[in-house]
Amino acid sequence: MKIKKINDIINSAKDPTEKETLSRILDLSYRAQKTYSTTYTDFIDPFLLGKIKSHRLELLGINYLSYGGLTDSERQIIGLAHDDLDIEEKDFPINFIEVSVNTGIGKPVSHRDYLGAIMGLGIEREKIGDLVIDNNTAYVTAHSDIAEYIIYTLDSVSRYGKVTCRHILKEDIPIIKQEYKTLNCTVSSARADAIIAEGFNMSRSKAAKLIKAQGAMCNGVIIDQASPIEENDICTLRGHGKIKVGEIGSLTRKGRRRIKIHRYI
């Protein structure tokens, strides 16, 4: 492990949360090396996770894997292990909970309602991963050390008191197809600022400003303005949503690149 370079990264981090998380990761990595074991963080939000990944810690001798329990999970736990150990997704401290609400003819329950009810139990956001909402049921990804507490304590969501919670398997969670609208655009080049500007219907200068503030990711990693974007890449812009790059086609007569962008609704 290249301790000096890792400490240089920690010291250069301007965001206090990033600095704190990097220090925590280094401490957990030390512990894993000394005890010949695997250690885990809590859930990390996608933009902070993107900053962590951008440091390429694996090149500095840290054996780690991030996983959130579901395909394309946004919030993920980082597992850190001794150099001689493999990190298995099945070993992550993640449980899945089904929360069903009987609303009768009342207003449907939202993602915010479910999350608010869970955090209202005194649970920190870092203990909860992604929530998948399907009609009046939420499928909650939770840290294993608080899963039982949620199941036996959560008795109301929003204004509804008829709530049922139970453990489920990952395979029990339905695949919810995300809706999107397709944009047929042309860009001057297939770089981040140009594609994000088109995908989110904003000026290139505004897109560049948001990217410079570390507000954009591609495939879960923080990017800069000139980062190349390829077909099937998924780009996320903080506060604006997510797009998937479709076909990158031929040049127009004016030398612009034809591109298809899917913007998630």
Side-chain angles (χ1 to χ4, degrees):
M1 194 187 305
K2 299 178 181 179
I3 303 299
K4 184 179 183 305
K5 289 188 176 181
I6 296 171
N7 282 325
D8 287 344
I9 291 173
I10 293 172
N11 293 331
S12 66
K14 297 179 181 179
D15 178 6
T17 304
E18 180 185 0
K19 187 187 292 286
E20 180 182 344
T21 304
L22 284 167
S23 296
R24 174 67 173 157
I25 287 171
L26 182 57
D27 289 343
L28 289 172
S29 184
Y30 275 147
R31 187 190 305 172
Q33 295 297 333
K34 288 182 178 180
T35 59
Y36 197 79
S37 63
T38 303
T39 58
Y40 301 94
T41 67
D42 289 332
F43 284 98
I44 298 173
D45 80 69
F47 278 90
L48 179 55
L49 184 65
K51 291 180 182 180
I52 300 301
K53 288 184 176 180
S54 70
H55 293 305
R56 303 297 302 276
L57 299 179
E58 67 275 12
L59 300 181
L60 302 179
I62 291 184
N63 179 20
Y64 82 96
L65 175 70
S66 65
Y67 177 61
L70 304 174
T71 303
D72 299 327
S73 292
E74 293 189 344
R75 298 179 62 82
Q76 299 184 14
I77 289 173
I78 292 180
L80 301 113
H82 187 278
D83 293 341
D84 296 335
L85 297 177
D86 293 328
I87 306 173
E88 304 281 352
E89 290 181 352
K90 64 180 179 61
D91 294 329
F92 273 68
I94 294 174
N95 284 174
F96 303 100
I97 304 169
E98 179 188 84
V99 181
S100 299
V101 180
N102 184 351
T103 63
I105 60 173
K107 182 181 177 182
V109 185
S110 69
H111 183 285
R112 178 177 293 183
D113 292 329
Y114 283 110
L115 183 59
I118 293 170
M119 293 183 66
L121 301 175
I123 295 172
E124 296 179 349
R125 185 66 178 97
E126 291 75 18
K127 293 295 183 180
I128 305 297
D130 290 0
L131 278 68
V132 176
I133 311 300
D134 185 22
N135 295 318
N136 286 322
T137 300
Y139 300 92
V140 181
T141 309
H143 197 288
S144 58
D145 62 8
I146 52 88
E148 291 288 332
Y149 178 70
I150 293 173
I151 289 172
Y152 291 108
T153 309
L154 184 63
D155 57 8
S156 66
V157 175
S158 185
R159 63 179 182 275
Y160 303 110
K162 294 182 178 180
V163 177
T164 304
C165 302
R166 67 185 182 101
H167 277 294
I168 57 172
L169 300 175
K170 175 182 176 181
E171 293 73 21
D172 296 326
I173 300 176
I175 298 174
I176 309 297
K177 186 176 181 181
Q178 287 188 282
E179 296 183 357
Y180 59 81
K181 62 180 180 180
T182 299
L183 309 172
N184 292 298
C185 319
T186 63
V187 293
S188 58
S189 64
R191 51 182 265 168
D193 53 359
I195 289 178
I196 285 176
E198 288 292 334
F200 293 102
N201 191 28
M202 63 179 62
S203 69
R204 190 162 174 175
S205 60
K206 181 177 180 180
K209 183 178 179 180
L210 293 171
I211 295 170
K212 189 176 181 180
Q214 293 191 315
M217 295 191 299
C218 179
N219 302 326
V221 178
I222 295 290
I223 53 176
D224 57 34
Q225 298 160 238
S227 295
I229 304 298
E230 301 178 352
E231 291 183 1
N232 297 316
D233 280 351
I234 294 178
C235 299
T236 306
L237 188 64
R238 186 190 293 275
H240 292 268
K242 182 168 62 176
I243 59 174
K244 182 176 181 178
V245 179
E247 179 185 358
I248 298 178
S250 58
L251 294 174
T252 66
R253 291 181 180 179
K254 294 184 178 181
R256 292 175 64 83
R257 180 72 63 183
R258 294 183 178 89
I259 185 170
K260 186 172 290 187
I261 298 174
H262 306 299
R263 181 171 180 180
Y264 293 98
I265 301 172

